[in-house]
Amino acid sequence: MLKFSNKRKYSNQISFSPNSFYFAISKGIQLVIYSCQTLKPIKIYTFIDFIEDIKWSNSNKLILIGIYKRNRCEIRNIENDNFICTIDEGVQGMSNALFSPNSSHVLSFNQNVTKLTIRSLLNKNTMFISLPKFSKKGLAFSSQGKGKFMALAERKETKDIIGIYYIQKWICFRRFPVETEDLQDIQWSFDNLNIIIVDSPCVCKLLIYNI
């Protein structure tokens, strides 16, 4: 016989941890973390404004809360109540934020998508990549080796460019132009040897570049 939990109110965000042990539900300015096994709340957090985004780290310990109308995101550790991290972009704004695959960095895009900022959660070091093309697509991590490389679509002098970065040190070891009219998205092949590029639907073109 199927058993159902009681109804739970939520605003517009629900997210499961990668290991499916937890799920997070937003209720306006409040975030509640539940155990998937017991369906009981284990953590409750309150923020300064409406929660627009929820993302888990691959470590299943950290959770990122996007409050983009306030140009910020906040990070909490569900195993350590003393860990509180706030990233505020100020007048530059913030349009998106996400964890690196190894959970040690946070990537954030400013409102006008002219800069990608990479911040370490370990030592507070900060790095920048100028002129990413998008904030919510056009970025892909390799699937093998826990995301050893990042491919990023960039736009410079009206040309589409792909940058390949080694994320242990965030070094760009290759950057090359692509023969697109208007690049729409990118993805790694399963073996991480190729980058698949989706061009504008107006030209119906798919390109594959060997890395």
Side-chain angles (χ1 to χ4, degrees):
M1 178 182 293
L2 293 176
K3 294 183 179 181
F4 297 91
S5 68
N6 296 327
K7 293 181 180 179
R8 288 173 170 79
K9 294 181 179 179
Y10 73 101
S11 299
N12 67 333
Q13 298 290 331
I14 180 169
S15 179
F16 286 84
S17 62
N19 61 6
S20 298
F21 285 6
Y22 313 103
F23 65 96
I25 293 178
S26 67
K27 302 176 182 179
I29 65 171
Q30 191 178 74
L31 183 77
V32 183
I33 311 293
Y34 291 89
S35 164
C36 287
Q37 184 175 9
T38 65
L39 300 180
K40 293 181 179 180
I42 60 170
K43 296 288 180 182
I44 299 176
Y45 303 106
T46 302
F47 301 94
I48 64 169
D49 211 329
F50 187 83
I51 296 169
E52 301 172 61
D53 194 14
I54 303 170
K55 294 189 177 81
W56 288 89
S57 68
N58 285 338
S59 69
N60 301 289
K61 298 178 182 179
L62 303 176
I63 189 164
L64 182 151
I65 300 88
I67 312 172
Y68 303 135
K69 66 163 61 176
R70 292 293 191 104
N71 304 326
R72 67 194 290 170
C73 68
E74 303 207 20
I75 300 156
R76 298 292 185 269
N77 186 325
I78 65 171
E79 296 182 358
N80 181 2
D81 291 335
N82 294 321
F83 180 92
I84 297 175
C85 175
T86 299
I87 297 174
D88 193 327
E89 291 286 8
V91 296
Q92 295 186 71
M94 182 182 292
S95 58
N96 191 27
L98 64 153
F99 287 108
S100 64
N102 59 9
S103 307
S104 65
H105 291 77
V106 172
L107 289 68
S108 62
F109 296 82
N110 67 345
Q111 190 64 47
N112 295 326
V113 199
T114 58
K115 182 177 65 174
L116 167 59
T117 304
I118 304 159
R119 294 178 173 88
S120 172
L121 296 174
L122 303 177
N123 54 28
K124 298 184 180 180
N125 285 348
T126 303
M127 294 147 282
F128 305 96
I129 299 174
S130 62
L131 301 178
K133 185 168 184 180
F134 306 106
S135 64
K136 296 183 179 179
K137 59 181 181 178
L139 182 154
F141 294 102
S142 58
S143 58
Q144 304 298 322
K146 295 183 179 181
K148 188 176 181 180
F149 301 103
M150 178 184 78
L152 179 68
E154 304 169 12
R155 184 77 170 177
K156 297 183 180 179
E157 297 179 352
T158 71
K159 300 293 185 182
D160 289 328
I161 296 171
I162 299 296
I164 308 295
Y165 296 83
Y166 176 56
I167 71 170
Q168 294 301 318
K169 297 183 178 180
W170 295 103
I171 295 172
C172 181
F173 71 90
R174 188 176 178 192
R175 181 179 279 119
F176 55 92
V178 291
E179 297 178 3
T180 51
E181 295 293 329
D182 184 13
L183 183 150
Q184 293 300 301
D185 209 353
I186 61 176
Q187 188 58 264
W188 289 87
S189 62
F190 183 75
D191 59 9
N192 299 312
L193 298 178
N194 301 284
I195 295 288
I196 297 96
I197 298 172
V198 180
D199 203 352
S200 166
C202 295
V203 295
C204 298
K205 186 166 61 175
L206 193 72
L207 301 94
I208 301 174
Y209 286 82
N210 183 268
I211 304 303

